[in-house]
Structures are given as C-alpha cells and as structure tokens.
Amino acid sequence: MSTLTRPETDTVATTPGTLRGSARVLLRVHRKALWAAGGLLVIGIGIVVALRIWMASAKELCADGDITPCGGPVYQPSYARTSTEVFLGDGGTVLLLLAGLVGVFVAGPLIARELESGTFRLAWAQSVSPAHWLAARLAVPAALAVVGMTVLIAVYRWGLWALRGYPYSSLDHWYASGVFPGTGPALLGFTLLAVAVGALCAVLVRRALLSMSLTGLVLGVVALGLGKRRYELWPTDFRQNPGPVGLDSGDWAVDMGRLTESGRKLRWEDCHDYAADPLQDIEACWRELGAVAHFSEVHPASHYWPLQLVETGILLALAALAVFAAFRLLRRLHG
C-alpha cells in the first residue's frame, strides 16, 4: 500500500504577508478612489495646458504682451493673460488642499474605517502583523501621492513660467502664500505629513469621520502656521541707506523703517497715530526721534530655495514623528 502525500506549496506566494501583496490588495479594494485621484491629476494638467494654449493664441501686438500699439502710452494685456494670472495665482493653495485631501482619505476610508468596522482582524488573521498592515497603508498612498504631486508641481511651474517677465503683471510674487507652497519640494513634504497625520489620527481615534475631521484640522493649522512664519525660516538680508532703500522686483520686504545713530529701529507706527492726529507729519516725528537712515530686511529671490528646503525639512521631521507615534500607538493598543 502506498501512502499519498500532499505536495508542499509555496506559502510565500499564497499568503499576503509581503508588502507587495498588501499593496496589491489595497489598490484593488480602493480602485475607485485611485481612479478619482487619477482624474483629478488629469484635470489639473488639462487646466494648465488649456490656459497656456489660450494665452498663446491671444492676439498680442508686442513682445511684452501688449495688445495696443507698441510703445504707446497705454499698456493693456490680453484677457487670456490676465485670466491665466488669476487662475494660477492660487495654484499653490489648491495643491495644498489636494495634499490635505490625501491625508483625509488615509485617515478615514483607508485606516479608521477598517479599525471601526473590525475588518482589520481578517488581515491580521492571515499572517499579516499590525505593523505590516499599517506600513502598507502608509507606503502605498505616500508613493502614489508623491508621484502625482511631483507631476503637478512640474506642470504648475511650467504654467507660471509663461507669465515671467511681463510688465504690469497682477500675478503674485514667488513668496506669496498662494504660489510658494506649490512650486517646490515643500509640497512633497506636506503631502508626506498629510499621510502620516492621517494615519496617526486614525489609529488614535479609530472613528472614520472624527479622524478625517481631526486630520483636516491639524493640517490646516500646520499650513497656516508655516504661511504666517515662513519669512523666519531663513535669515533676511539687512539693507540700509541714507535715502529710501531700493527693492528689486523679486525682493520680499519683510520689514522696513528708519534707523537712529545707535542702530535702534523706528517703524511707521512709532510716528503715526490716527486716533491722536491723522494729519501728523511723520517725517518731522522721525527727525525728532533721531532717525538718520532708512533700512529694510529683505528676502531676495535667491532665498527661494533655502526657504523651500528648510520648510521641507521641518515638514519631513514632523511626518517622521507622526509615523513613529502611529506605530508606537498601534503596538501599544494591539501588540
């Protein structure tokens, strides 16, 4: 009598224990959200391309974008150019909102919903550890979001490039809160922070709607805080002159006023009180206070990359802390 033995099978191939297998499951389960994200990416690219085509087809008579006779006393840009400036002027804010949306999705449908409904136990029962389960839900959206945001940054910069060098432009400068966040690596840092904060809020709260709300609140505070204090991330250039300090077109003037012999700074509000005297002579007041020169503290255009890199480093450090806290909390709650 012969004994029949069951052939051994490759357990690695059938058990979703690898990160690749978990990622494949996530992509299959959330394919509708993936298609929606791809649609937003295509729409964003299409808007910028359409604006560039519209602007290029406008009938401009002069190289500087004037639609009136060249060299005349009147300068008038085309409607296509001014409309493009309006649309792209807040492109950085739109990209921040998209990054925040990624974090909200991670917090709610991707993690908290499974913790709330208990479906996570199915994955954990199939040789997938809690840490492995969370790692897949961090790595997949982070990788996809970074790739998508990189494409959008490149397209947004390409759109802005067409508006460079034209006089009387209404487009905000490089340091504007609606432009700066969407033109460099700081957006990628914010995207990774959004994913990390979403995961931390989901593990902490374990309720989808509440996790999504908390994630949006935290990301909003971070974005507003950086926008308000961005000028402090890199030392400014100090300029002084007996007369008014001249500024280049790309300079970000953070502070300006007058200087005394001792180096004390005097500012506009030191010599102007509308409530006391709305017609006060500011020049006479400054002379009485001993002003001898003008000063300004400026971020020139060359400070763009230092500011971007410092902000990116801060965001990545916060993201790393959030990821560390999420794993520690998951381990504490579920072993």
Side-chain angles (χ1 to χ4, degrees):
M1 179 183 293
S2 62
T3 302
L4 297 177
T5 59
R6 184 177 181 176
E8 295 182 0
T9 58
D10 189 355
T11 57
V12 176
T14 59
T15 303
T18 63
L19 189 61
R20 182 181 300 177
S22 299
R24 195 178 299 116
V25 171
L26 278 179
L27 293 175
R28 185 166 60 249
V29 171
H30 297 283
R31 58 185 178 275
K32 291 183 179 179
L34 188 61
W35 279 108
L40 290 176
L41 179 65
V42 172
I43 290 173
I45 296 173
I47 289 174
V48 178
V49 172
L51 290 174
R52 283 289 301 261
I53 294 175
W54 184 27
M55 193 168 59
S57 64
K59 296 181 179 180
E60 298 175 345
L61 302 180
C62 309
D64 62 358
D66 194 358
I67 63 173
T68 64
C70 299
V74 177
Y75 178 90
Q76 183 178 352
S78 66
Y79 179 68
R81 183 171 300 282
T82 56
S83 299
T84 301
E85 291 174 349
V86 171
F87 279 112
L88 296 184
D90 286 320
T93 302
V94 174
L95 293 181
L96 278 181
L97 291 175
L98 288 177
L101 188 62
V102 174
V104 169
F105 176 78
V106 171
L110 202 62
I111 297 178
R113 182 178 294 173
E114 292 195 26
L115 294 174
E116 185 177 10
S117 63
T119 55
F120 66 94
R121 295 188 179 90
L122 177 62
W124 294 3
Q126 297 177 350
S127 302
V128 176
S129 67
H132 191 109
W133 175 86
L134 181 59
R137 279 150 183 79
L138 281 168
V140 172
L144 294 176
V146 165
V147 171
M149 287 298 176
T150 301
V151 173
L152 289 177
I153 289 172
V155 172
Y156 183 48
R157 290 177 65 94
W158 176 72
L160 292 175
W161 188 265
L163 301 172
R164 292 168 58 94
Y166 287 87
Y168 311 110
S169 174
S170 61
L171 182 69
D172 289 332
H173 294 287
W174 61 267
Y175 52 81
S177 60
V179 175
F180 183 88
T183 57
L187 180 63
L188 302 182
F190 188 81
T191 302
L192 293 176
L193 177 64
V195 174
V197 169
L200 176 59
C201 292
V203 175
L204 179 64
V205 178
R206 288 171 288 176
R207 295 291 184 272
L209 185 58
L210 187 57
S211 299
M212 295 165 69
S213 302
L214 183 59
T215 299
L217 177 62
V218 172
L219 294 176
V221 169
V222 172
L224 289 175
L226 283 174
K228 292 290 185 181
R229 296 295 177 180
R230 182 169 290 125
Y231 66 92
E232 297 180 351
L233 300 181
W234 192 258
T236 57
D237 286 354
F238 184 83
R239 303 173 184 174
Q240 69 179 73
N241 197 54
V245 178
L247 298 176
D248 296 330
S249 59
D251 286 343
W252 179 10
V254 174
D255 192 12
M256 59 177 54
R258 301 293 184 91
L259 285 175
T260 66
E261 285 281 2
S262 62
R264 185 167 68 94
K265 296 178 180 179
L266 303 175
R267 294 175 176 82
W268 179 81
E269 57 268 19
D270 294 331
C271 277
H272 204 290
D273 187 352
Y274 276 110
D277 184 3
L279 301 178
Q280 182 182 11
D281 188 343
I282 300 177
E283 292 293 333
C285 173
W286 270 331
R287 285 194 298 269
E288 291 178 4
L289 293 176
V292 296
H294 295 250
F295 83 90
S296 66
E297 295 182 10
V298 176
H299 281 300
S302 59
H303 285 190
Y304 168 81
W305 280 111
L307 288 168
Q308 277 279 346
L309 295 176
V310 171
E311 184 169 330
T312 303
I314 293 172
L315 291 169
L316 291 178
L318 292 175
L321 288 174
V323 169
F324 176 77
F327 276 100
R328 286 295 298 270
L329 185 59
L330 183 70
R331 182 178 179 182
R332 182 178 178 181
L333 294 176
H334 299 284

